[in-house]
Amino acid sequence: DGGAAVLYRDGFAVWALNGVRVSQQIAETAAEQMPLEWWLNERNVEVRGQIERKIGAARILRELNASQVHAEIVTIGGRDLPYSVMELTLKNGDRRRLLEMENPSTGETHREWLPPEIATVREALSWRNGTEELPEVLT
């Protein structure tokens, strides 16, 4: 981040973030100076993921006026954990939903994208885990 991943003597360079090739512009522009349109307009899902990682999902949600669709406290392994399904609308009108949760190990907020038809925390967890059953412990 901030420069070329590989720079050859003849001037040829490769820019990458976390092993994903990106443009020089994406690699060298500071996160706070990156316009949200770069994320919105990027067609390559891996590159878009690196832009999101760099500028942060919280900024994307804030700038696109995301709203909470559903919230629930889920008890896993004897711990009460807050989860919520958030929704944002892209400029072309497409809806995107994500599951937002706190990582109990680090206290950081973690988000995962969901199919747009998922409306509740339980549906999101079932889709994510591939089962209706909640885990007994967090791994």
Side-chain angles (χ1 to χ4, degrees), residues 2-40:
V6 179
L7 181 59
Y8 293 92
R9 290 180 202 209
D10 66 359
F12 179 80
V14 175
W15 289 268
L17 295 173
N18 304 297
V20 176
R21 285 186 71 162
V22 298
S23 68
Q24 178 180 2
Q25 186 178 35
I26 291 170
E28 293 186 358
T29 301
E32 57 277 359
Q33 295 176 350
M34 293 179 84
L36 186 59
E37 283 70 23
W38 290 4
W39 180 81
L40 289 167

